[in-house]
Amino acid sequence: MLQGKTALITGSTSGIGQAIAEALAAQGANIVFNGFGEADHIDALLNTARSHGGRALHHPADMRRPDEIAAMMDLAQAEFGGVDILVNNAGIQHVAPVDEFPLDKWNDIIAINLSSAFHTTRLAVPGMRQRGWGRIINIASAHALVASPFKSAYVAAKHGIAGFTKSCALELAQSGVTVNAICPGYVRTPLVERQIPDTMKARNLTREQVERDVLLAAQPTKRFVTVEEIAAMVGYLASDAARSVTGALMSVDGGWTAQ
């Protein structure tokens, strides 16, 4: 379905981003991977993507640095003629009371979770306009729609992504370029997995209790969203079937924001 298209996915060497990259590669797209990781792991990702017939490359741009983001976008332009499908997925988290929130953590979260989407988008849009086709898909969060305590930077960034998505969608409404956001609930990723042992220790709970009563407390389904489900939604939004879907915040959250 996406043969001849090029997809760039930030934060795609693990977790949700990796699943999205693999799903789009399976539909024939060329893939620009971004993120950190061991060389062997990245080589394996590239080989898997190429096995579907498309091309693939990796750029390690730090999403805090606009100059590195620009270099990554320049590489995509040089190698593939531009980016047709942009998935802004890179993100980090830190949990602390607002009056104790470290300044460096605030700045990094805003830079990676929000500002990087602006930098990739502003550089991708001219080519998409020229070609009359493009898909910009921002991976937001249920926290783009609702808040939780002790996550002020993350919630601020994700609410910002929601507004950025809508504004860009309106600007590009007649250009053939759609702009949407996916708002997942808790997804079982390495980022979430790393939170479980610390929470078990801090709250004197079992793994099952942490998953059910802490992480999934807000999700009525009481199960994690899977990375494959997020990737499937990206696949739909990237397709021509979704050409009239723009400015949407698509909840994939087990009912979290229905409450």
Side-chain angles (χ1 to χ4, degrees):
M1 290 173 60
L2 299 177
Q3 201 162 29
K5 303 293 188 187
T6 294
L8 185 151
I9 306 96
T10 66
S12 50
T13 53
S14 67
I16 294 171
Q18 179 179 329
I20 292 169
E22 291 172 347
L24 296 180
Q27 293 191 46
N30 302 317
I31 303 295
V32 180
F33 286 91
N34 159 258
F36 307 123
E38 297 294 329
D40 288 350
H41 174 64
I42 291 170
D43 285 344
L45 293 178
L46 294 172
N47 289 333
T48 298
R50 291 165 182 158
S51 71
H52 298 288
R55 298 165 60 197
L57 57 82
H58 169 259
H59 194 287
D62 185 332
M63 291 293 106
R64 296 171 297 184
R65 297 183 59 87
D67 58 333
E68 294 189 18
I69 294 171
M72 176 178 67
M73 301 300 288
D74 286 345
L75 178 64
Q77 178 67 39
E79 293 293 326
F80 300 120
V83 174
D84 302 295
I85 302 164
L86 171 63
V87 184
N88 290 306
N89 167 75
I92 60 171
Q93 174 66 288
H94 185 78
V95 178
V98 66
D99 54 328
E100 300 174 11
F101 214 95
L103 292 179
D104 61 334
K105 294 295 185 183
W106 174 276
N107 291 334
D108 285 351
I109 288 171
I110 297 300
I112 294 170
N113 295 24
L114 176 58
S115 297
S116 70
F118 160 70
H119 291 297
T120 56
T121 299
R122 70 182 180 86
L123 295 169
V125 161
M128 292 179 176
R129 279 187 191 274
Q130 186 176 22
R131 291 186 293 275
W133 194 96
R135 298 289 185 266
I136 300 170
I137 302 165
N138 299 318
I139 306 302
S141 167
H143 282 120
L145 303 169
V146 296
S148 294
F150 311 117
K151 299 180 178 180
S152 56
Y154 188 84
V155 172
K158 293 302 185 179
H159 272 63
I161 282 289
F164 180 69
T165 297
K166 292 178 181 180
S167 184
C168 292
L170 295 177
E171 289 184 31
L172 297 166
Q174 297 182 43
S175 68
V177 180
T178 65
V179 190
N180 294 288
I182 299 173
C183 301
Y186 272 105
V187 183
R188 191 183 288 278
T189 64
L191 185 69
V192 169
E193 284 289 339
R194 286 194 291 270
Q195 297 178 41
I196 294 175
D198 289 342
T199 307
M200 290 169 60
K201 183 177 179 181
R203 301 196 183 200
N204 193 28
L205 298 173
T206 66
R207 171 176 283 270
E208 181 183 30
Q209 288 171 323
V210 168
E211 292 184 358
R212 184 188 67 239
D213 300 331
V214 179
L215 296 179
L216 297 178
Q219 285 182 205
T221 57
K222 299 303 177 189
R223 72 169 184 84
F224 286 97
V225 179
T226 68
V227 295
E228 290 81 10
E229 289 166 343
I230 304 303
M233 180 63 79
V234 170
Y236 166 67
L237 292 174
S239 74
D240 284 337
R243 63 185 175 274
S244 294
V245 181
T246 194
L249 307 179
M250 312 289 282
S251 292
V252 186
D253 63 6
W256 181 344
T257 56
Q259 300 175 97

